Amino acid sequence: MCGIIGYVGGKKAAPILLKGLQRLEYRGYDSSGIAVLNGSIRVTKTCGKVATLCEKVSENNMPDGVIGIGHTRWATHGAPSDINSHPHLSADGRFCIVHNGIIENFAELKADLTAHGIPFKSETDSEVIAQLVQYLYDGDMISTLRNVMERLSGSYAVGVLCADSPSTLYAIRKDNPLVVGLGQNENFIASDFAAALEHTHNFVQLNDYEIAQLTARAVTFFDRNGKSVEKTPYRVDWDISLAEKGGYPHFMLKEIYEQPKAIKDTVSARIKGDNIVLDRIEFSASNVNSINRINIIGCGSAYHAGIVGKHFIEKYCRISVNCELASEYIYSNPITDNRTLTVVISQSGETADSLAALRLAKKLGSHTIAIVNVLHSAIAREADDVLYTYAGPEIAVATTKGYTTQVAALYLIGLKIAKVKHIISDARYSELLNEIARLPEKVSEILKDTDKIKQYAQSYADHKCVFFIGRGTDYAASLEGALKLKEISYIHAEAYAAGELKHGTISLIENGTVTLALVTQEDLYAKMLSNIKAVQSRGGSVLAISSQKNMQIGKESDGLLAIPDCDDDVTPVLTAVVLQLFAYYIAAKRECDIDKPRNLAKSVTVE
Ligand code: AGP
């Protein structure tokens, strides 16, 4: 996913832009560049890491100028190369842009502009924006940018420089995140807070089709009709250290250890005595009783959290819950209407597939709730209701605290609905509420001693394939365990419903095949034991993950990782932490790029 930073103020722009790009590196990118306006616009850009860009900038003498834009590119159109990197200059050199998103009609626009004699240099869709600004420029940048937005289709967050306005930075956006940072005699645009957080904690969200006009001393906003728009700044209390590694070798490990706080921040704010208060989400008896179906939609780990939520909500709310992959949902002509409650889960709140699914569900009449981690993100803003997870910035591409806080949020929603429907006993309700409230301390218990997890992980680090099996909510939890291992260690891993192994996949079990068996559901111990024996009888070795109260399973397996005792219905949060660490230590042993795994991006803002 691309990253954008822009600056206008009293200091030299280049060092601020370069530092901002370093803070955006985690988003995944393949090239980067900056442009500084000082009379004329000077662009320095390169394929490869931001460190290479820094060298290039200093070799060419750091440009002067107190206004500029910067970009990290994750290629979508045109291979990673210097010429395809951003920023892009207009043909006459008077305009310069950085873009995050995809211009879906760039080919037609490019053909049209080329026919008007405007030459193009790159293969990208983004360059068309720079040329279009030049072509439509009428001496007034606000009206020009309004016209540009009328011509563009697709998604975009754009920073713009104009040589005719040497002390003004512009930004426009549609379907792609862009925040405006308000400093002291300096202002910023950024794809996310981390790029500007060391300079300011005060931000404003730019909404779709709005234009931001920034000078050193003032920021003005216009809507698509050119009318000025008042905005209320909000404060982001994430200090920059939260976006740093804080002494951990990887962001992922830091974020695994942040889970007790992340879960606590997510649940404790909503548990008021014996009552669950889900912010402004109204679960009245009438609207709850009108729900005859719940669709939970997400991608990747967010989807896996939804499957864990399905088990819990169906068990206690007795409402049919469908879990849908967002990318499938949007093209499936889904069964969704005004009696469907749609829950869209997304850590970043910017995943294109999930945003498209949200929009479709709303169009079909469904009430929508977003479970999102990033404040004011697109999915958070467009859903009817939002329940934020308070996990703080998640930098590592592989989600950890984002996932466990999503699961905790789903438990709260399920318990709230069950209570409103009066289909859960007071005793069971209080028991579960207490269990959820105690999850942070139980996660802390796991984190206190991870040596055994590390030992097992390191002993399995050279395996080519690992199976994860479980039944019921353990199966749901095993899906996330398999994804974690795959995405950061590049070992093939597969999660399987334990009862399903015998219907085909068990043919893959041979001498030495490693299987992790999640065995936390007391009523399924016996079934799981026979599945474990079936694997072992074919030469496979089984590492069981179970509760302290079920240590017996350890004698029947080739190894045991115990989680603190907790209610069977909330074990996925605890088994998730064990499996995150299991994956982490294997990837560390294999010296993988844990925070930025190959081919992956933190948030996939293209469909
Ligand atoms: C999880 O470790 C992956 N990074 C990925 O599957 C992620 O969960 C998925 O892309 C959804 O992202 P979101 O939660 O930001 O929408």
Side-chain angles (χ1 to χ4, degrees):
M1 188 175 75
C2 306
I4 288 175
I5 173 82
Y7 173 79
V8 55
K11 303 173 194 133
K12 275 184 90 171
I16 292 172
L17 297 172
L18 292 171
K19 187 76 184 294
L21 292 182
Q22 285 166 344
R23 296 233 192 268
L24 292 174
E25 285 192 278
Y26 72 87
R27 299 160 64 91
Y29 71 103
D30 47 59
S31 52
S32 63
I34 64 168
V36 175
L37 169 52
N38 186 26
S40 63
I41 300 172
R42 258 185 73 191
V43 174
T44 311
K45 57 185 186 178
T46 179
C47 199
K49 297 291 183 194
V50 171
T52 313
L53 175 67
C54 293
E55 284 160 20
K56 209 166 175 182
V57 169
S58 53
E59 277 156 22
N60 303 347
N61 301 322
M62 187 79 82
D64 289 333
V66 293
I67 176 171
I69 49 180
H71 188 267
T72 52
R73 179 178 185 242
W74 186 50
T76 56
H77 294 66
S81 69
D82 291 2
I83 198 72
N84 286 334
S85 313
H86 302 210
H88 289 291
L89 271 172
S90 60
D92 65 5
R94 290 160 62 217
F95 306 93
C96 189
I97 66 101
V98 287
H99 167 232
N100 186 5
I102 286 187
I103 303 303
E104 290 173 354
N105 64 333
F106 85 96
E108 304 94 86
L109 291 171
K110 187 166 181 174
D112 188 26
L113 292 163
T114 307
H116 282 88
I118 293 184
F120 279 75
K121 291 199 182 106
S122 78
E123 308 156 297
T124 67
D125 57 325
S126 307
E127 185 188 355
V128 83
I129 302 172
Q131 308 306 358
L132 194 56
V133 173
Q134 173 187 320
Y135 180 69
L136 295 174
Y137 185 60
D138 59 6
D140 174 333
M141 277 302 283
I142 302 304
S143 71
T144 300
L145 292 174
R146 285 174 53 210
N147 291 331
V148 165
M149 287 197 283
E150 291 307 317
R151 304 282 293 270
L152 295 178
S153 71
S155 65
Y156 50 86
V158 186
V160 188
L161 293 176
C162 165
D164 294 2
S165 324
S167 49
T168 308
L169 170 65
Y170 300 91
I172 57 174
R173 64 144 292 170
K174 173 183 167 286
D175 288 347
N176 232 291
L178 200 69
V179 289
V180 174
L182 309 174
Q184 295 295 326
N185 300 322
E186 59 184 15
N187 292 300
F188 303 80
I189 59 170
S191 304
D192 73 28
F193 311 122
L197 213 48
E198 69 184 274
H199 305 287
T200 178
H201 285 265
N202 298 314
F203 290 89
V204 169
Q205 197 68 31
L206 190 62
N207 293 324
D208 283 354
Y209 299 111
E210 288 182 341
I211 301 166
Q213 176 180 277
L214 296 78
T215 62
R217 295 185 186 286
V219 183
T220 328
F221 298 92
F222 302 88
D223 67 15
R224 64 192 309 175
N225 304 313
K227 213 158 116 314
S228 78
V229 177
E230 283 309 309
K231 291 255 183 200
T232 312
Y234 56 88
R235 182 170 171 75
V236 173
D237 283 329
W238 293 350
D239 62 48
I240 198 64
S241 62
L242 271 184
E244 290 296 342
K245 288 185 195 156
Y248 288 91
H250 299 99
F251 280 115
M252 183 177 175
L253 194 60
K254 171 174 173 283
E255 288 150 13
I256 288 172
Y257 277 80
E258 286 173 344
Q259 289 182 111
K261 181 178 182 314
I263 297 165
K264 187 171 184 319
D265 290 350
T266 299
V267 303
S268 58
R270 280 97 181 215
I271 298 178
K272 312 265 185 228
D274 211 23
N275 196 12
I276 296 173
V277 179
L278 296 177
D279 307 348
R280 287 198 292 271
I281 305 176
E282 268 311 304
F283 278 117
S284 64
S286 60
N287 66 32
V288 161
N289 289 326
S290 71
I291 299 167
N292 68 356
R293 166 201 310 276
I294 297 176
N295 285 344
I296 302 180
I297 304 173
C299 304
S301 298
Y303 168 71
H304 296 154
I307 297 181
V308 173
K310 166 188 167 71
H311 283 272
F312 188 88
I313 293 171
E314 284 191 337
K315 178 169 183 177
Y316 290 104
C317 304
R318 306 314 296 158
I319 300 175
S320 161
V321 179
N322 266 355
C323 256
E324 306 266 3
L325 285 168
S327 55
E328 289 295 306
Y329 176 82
I330 42 189
Y331 298 107
S332 66
N333 187 18
I335 300 170
T336 302
D337 58 24
N338 61 3
R339 297 198 61 199
T340 308
L341 171 64
T342 299
V343 180
V344 177
I345 304 174
S346 174
Q347 188 283 134
S348 63
E350 298 295 348
T351 299
D353 288 327
S354 306
L355 180 59
L358 170 71
R359 289 171 173 166
L360 177 57
K362 286 181 73 172
K363 200 167 129 205
L364 295 171
S366 172
H367 185 80
T368 56
I369 296 177
I371 296 179
V372 170
N373 191 43
V374 178
L375 215 59
H376 291 259
S377 52
I379 291 172
R381 292 202 318 282
E382 295 197 24
D384 298 305
D385 282 311
V386 58
L387 188 64
Y388 282 115
T389 51
Y390 295 123
E394 190 174 66
I395 309 294
V397 167
T399 186
T400 49
K401 60 181 183 173
Y403 169 80
T404 48
T405 52
Q406 287 161 0
V407 172
L410 286 162
Y411 288 155
L412 290 177
I413 290 174
L415 217 38
K416 177 75 177 180
I417 292 175
K419 178 85 173 170
V420 170
K421 285 174 69 94
H422 301 297
I423 56 171
I424 185 169
S425 71
D426 290 349
R428 186 63 183 138
Y429 171 84
S430 300
E431 249 173 29
L432 284 168
L433 199 56
N434 180 46
E435 286 289 328
I436 293 167
R438 294 189 59 205
L439 282 172
E441 74 187 63
K442 296 193 175 174
V443 169
S444 297
E445 255 182 75
I446 295 171
L447 296 173
K448 271 197 201 95
D449 178 5
T450 63
D451 289 350
K452 217 171 158 200
I453 302 170
K454 187 172 183 176
Q455 281 155 22
Y456 277 118
Q458 292 180 335
S459 67
Y460 293 142
D462 299 330
H463 281 259
K464 296 274 173 288
C465 169
V466 176
F467 283 93
F468 292 75
I469 62 172
R471 287 173 177 256
T473 200
D474 277 338
Y475 168 52
S478 68
L479 292 164
E480 177 58 12
L483 178 61
K484 282 283 101 35
L485 184 60
K486 272 184 280 199
E487 65 178 332
I488 64 170
S489 73
Y490 313 145
I491 291 177
H492 181 76
E494 196 162 350
Y496 238 81
E500 190 56 15
L501 263 185
K502 56 187 177 293
H503 297 290
T505 301
I506 201 158
S507 65
L508 293 177
I509 304 292
E510 56 193 11
N511 252 341
T513 306
V514 172
T515 299
L516 272 73
L518 280 66
V519 195
T520 70
Q521 304 301 297
E522 199 161 349
D523 58 343
L524 294 167
Y525 281 167
K527 290 289 180 202
M528 278 305 294
L529 186 53
S530 60
N531 297 138
I532 289 170
K533 290 304 163 203
V535 169
Q536 288 174 322
S537 62
R538 288 158 178 83
S541 68
V542 176
L543 173 60
I545 297 169
S546 191
S547 319
Q548 309 281 359
K549 67 191 176 200
N550 178 29
M551 299 309 272
Q552 174 58 25
I553 197 78
K555 296 190 179 61
E556 307 289 346
S557 317
D558 303 287
L560 173 66
L561 289 172
I563 59 170
D565 283 346
C566 71
D567 191 282
D568 286 8
D569 287 328
V570 297
T571 60
V573 169
L574 303 188
T575 52
V577 175
V578 172
L579 294 178
Q580 290 162 5
L581 289 163
F582 181 79
Y584 174 82
Y585 287 121
I586 286 183
K589 181 94 172 9
R590 294 164 66 96
E591 296 177 358
C592 294
D593 189 355
I594 290 174
D595 286 334
K596 297 195 279 282
R598 65 187 181 201
N599 310 335
L600 292 180
K602 182 58 186 167
S603 168
V604 186
T605 57
V606 292
E607 273 198 39

Coordinates of all heavy atoms in Angstrom, one line a residue, residues 299-302 345-349 351 354 397-399 406 480 483-484 487 601-604, ligand 1:
C299 N -11.6 -9.9 5.6 CA -10.6 -10.6 4.8 C -9.5 -11.1 5.8 O -9.3 -10.5 6.9 CB -9.9 -9.6 3.9 SG -11.1 -8.7 2.8
G300 N -8.9 -12.2 5.4 CA -7.7 -12.7 6.2 C -8.0 -12.9 7.6 O -9.0 -13.5 8.0
S301 N -7.2 -12.3 8.5 CA -7.4 -12.5 9.9 C -8.7 -11.9 10.4 O -9.3 -12.5 11.3 CB -6.3 -11.9 10.7 OG -5.1 -12.5 10.3
A302 N -9.2 -10.9 9.8 CA -10.4 -10.3 10.2 C -11.6 -11.3 9.9 O -12.5 -11.4 10.7 CB -10.7 -9.0 9.4
I345 N -15.5 -6.4 9.6 CA -14.3 -6.3 10.5 C -13.1 -5.9 9.7 O -12.8 -6.5 8.6 CB -14.1 -7.7 11.2 CG1 -15.3 -8.2 11.9 CG2 -12.9 -7.6 12.1 CD1 -15.2 -9.6 12.4
S346 N -12.4 -4.9 10.2 CA -11.2 -4.5 9.5 C -10.2 -3.7 10.4 O -10.6 -2.7 10.9 CB -11.5 -3.6 8.3 OG -10.4 -3.1 7.7
Q347 N -9.0 -4.2 10.6 CA -8.1 -3.5 11.4 C -7.8 -2.1 10.9 O -7.9 -1.2 11.6 CB -6.8 -4.3 11.5 CG -5.8 -3.8 12.5 CD -5.0 -2.6 12.1 OE1 -4.8 -1.7 12.8 NE2 -4.5 -2.6 10.8
S348 N -7.5 -2.1 9.6 CA -7.1 -0.8 9.0 C -8.3 0.1 8.7 O -8.1 1.3 8.5 CB -6.3 -1.1 7.7 OG -7.2 -1.7 6.8
G349 N -9.4 -0.6 8.5 CA -10.6 0.2 8.1 C -10.5 0.7 6.6 O -11.3 1.6 6.2
T351 N -9.4 -1.6 3.9 CA -9.4 -2.7 3.0 C -10.4 -2.6 1.9 O -11.6 -2.5 2.2 CB -9.5 -4.0 3.7 OG1 -8.4 -4.1 4.6 CG2 -9.4 -5.2 2.8
S354 N -13.3 -5.1 1.8 CA -14.3 -5.0 2.9 C -15.1 -3.7 2.8 O -16.3 -3.7 3.2 CB -13.5 -5.0 4.3 OG -12.7 -6.2 4.3
V397 N 2.9 -6.2 9.5 CA 1.9 -6.6 8.5 C 1.0 -7.7 9.0 O -0.2 -7.7 8.9 CB 2.6 -7.1 7.2 CG1 1.7 -7.8 6.3 CG2 3.3 -5.9 6.5
A398 N 1.6 -8.6 9.8 CA 0.9 -9.7 10.3 C 0.1 -9.2 11.6 O 0.8 -8.9 12.6 CB 1.8 -10.9 10.7
T399 N -1.2 -9.3 11.5 CA -1.9 -8.7 12.7 C -1.9 -9.7 13.8 O -1.9 -10.9 13.7 CB -3.4 -8.5 12.3 OG1 -4.0 -7.8 13.3 CG2 -4.1 -9.7 11.9
Q406 N -10.4 -7.8 17.9 CA -11.6 -8.0 17.1 C -12.5 -9.1 17.7 O -13.7 -9.0 17.9 CB -11.3 -8.4 15.7 CG -10.7 -7.2 14.9 CD -9.9 -7.7 13.6 OE1 -9.8 -8.9 13.4 NE2 -9.4 -6.7 12.9
E480 N -6.6 -19.0 12.0 CA -5.7 -17.9 12.2 C -4.3 -18.4 12.5 O -3.3 -17.8 12.1 CB -6.2 -17.0 13.3 CG -5.4 -15.8 13.7 CD -5.1 -14.9 12.5 OE1 -5.8 -15.0 11.4 OE2 -4.2 -14.0 12.6
L483 N -2.6 -19.2 9.2 CA -2.3 -18.0 8.4 C -1.1 -17.3 9.0 O -0.2 -16.9 8.3 CB -3.5 -17.0 8.4 CG -3.2 -15.7 7.7 CD1 -2.9 -15.9 6.2 CD2 -4.4 -14.7 7.8
K484 N -1.0 -17.1 10.3 CA 0.2 -16.5 10.9 C 1.4 -17.2 10.5 O 2.4 -16.6 10.1 CB 0.0 -16.5 12.5 CG -0.9 -15.5 13.1 CD -0.3 -14.1 13.2 CE -0.8 -13.1 12.1 NZ -2.1 -13.1 11.5
E487 N 2.2 -16.6 6.7 CA 2.5 -15.3 6.2 C 3.9 -14.8 6.7 O 4.5 -13.9 6.0 CB 1.4 -14.3 6.4 CG 1.1 -14.0 7.8 CD 0.0 -12.9 7.9 OE1 -0.2 -12.1 7.0 OE2 -0.7 -12.9 8.9
A601 N 1.1 -6.5 2.1 CA 1.0 -5.1 2.5 C 0.2 -5.1 3.8 O -0.7 -6.0 4.0 CB 0.4 -4.3 1.5
K602 N 0.3 -4.0 4.6 CA -0.4 -4.0 5.8 C -1.9 -3.8 5.6 O -2.7 -4.4 6.3 CB 0.1 -2.8 6.7 CG -0.6 -2.7 8.0 CD -0.5 -4.0 8.9 CE -1.2 -3.9 10.1 NZ -1.3 -5.3 10.8
S603 N -2.3 -3.0 4.6 CA -3.7 -2.9 4.3 C -3.8 -2.9 2.8 O -3.2 -2.1 2.1 CB -4.2 -1.6 4.9 OG -5.5 -1.4 4.4
V604 N -4.7 -3.8 2.3 CA -4.8 -3.9 0.8 C -5.9 -3.0 0.3 O -7.1 -3.4 0.4 CB -5.1 -5.4 0.5 CG1 -5.1 -5.6 -1.0 CG2 -4.1 -6.3 1.1
Ligands
AGP1 C1 -3.3 -10.7 8.7 O1 -2.1 -11.0 9.4 C2 -3.0 -10.2 7.3 N1 -2.1 -9.1 7.4 C3 -4.2 -9.9 6.5 O2 -4.9 -11.2 6.3 C4 -5.3 -8.9 7.1 O3 -5.9 -9.5 8.2 C5 -6.3 -8.7 6.0 O4 -5.7 -8.1 4.9 C6 -7.4 -7.7 6.5 O5 -6.9 -6.5 6.8 P1 -7.8 -5.4 7.6 O6 -8.1 -6.1 8.9 O7 -7.0 -4.2 7.8 O8 -9.0 -5.2 6.8

